[in-house]
Amino acid sequence: MRTILLLLASNLFMTIAWYGHLRHRGVALWKVILLSWGIAFFEYCLQVPANRWGYGQFTAFQLKIIQEIITLLVFVGFALVYLHEPLRWNYAVAFLFILAAVYFAFLPAQSEANP
């Protein structure tokens, strides 16, 4: 659970760093870049421990897949609430396919000895 919570918090920071400036397009790009890098520092302070502590409980592949799903969930909320963008049907279908990928990634490994 600690890994998931850290990944969730890190993705909140990264989503703000990557997309928060979109509502402030009048701000100079160099300022946005510097601010985004500053915000991203805190993302790394959470992401690195999440992966370090989660590795072993999860494989590296599973950690990455978990991170991507959390990223999408955080982004959807951010896009709806902060950017006021609509969630179109095709985006929802695409997210469902990604969720299906998570299901397959977490299936138990089959022994290669069994044909």
Side-chain angles (χ1 to χ4, degrees):
M1 184 53 92
R2 171 175 63 175
T3 297
I4 303 300
L5 292 175
L6 285 170
L7 289 174
L8 179 61
S10 74
N11 274 283
L12 286 169
F13 279 103
M14 203 53 158
T15 299
I16 292 167
W18 284 359
Y19 301 102
H21 61 90
L22 296 179
R23 282 187 41 189
H24 309 283
R25 296 183 48 92
V27 177
L29 186 57
W30 69 269
K31 290 179 182 178
V32 170
I33 291 170
L34 289 177
L35 181 61
S36 292
W37 271 86
I39 295 168
F41 169 78
F42 296 103
E43 185 269 345
Y44 277 88
C45 289
L46 298 167
Q47 179 81 20
V48 171
N51 287 328
R52 174 69 64 98
W53 293 330
Y55 188 63
Q57 177 185 4
F58 302 106
T59 67
F61 287 105
Q62 289 172 330
L63 281 169
K64 182 60 179 171
I65 291 165
I66 292 167
Q67 188 269 330
E68 293 301 333
I69 287 299
I70 291 172
T71 296
L72 286 173
L73 293 173
V74 168
F75 177 79
V76 167
F78 184 85
L80 292 172
V81 173
Y82 185 76
L83 296 176
H84 307 290
E85 291 196 6
L87 180 61
R88 296 179 6 204
W89 72 269
N90 55 322
Y91 300 152
V93 170
F95 291 148
L96 288 174
F97 279 118
I98 293 169
L99 285 174
V102 172
Y103 168 78
F104 286 105
F106 282 87
L107 285 176
Q110 299 235 347
S111 172
E112 293 184 29
N114 293 336

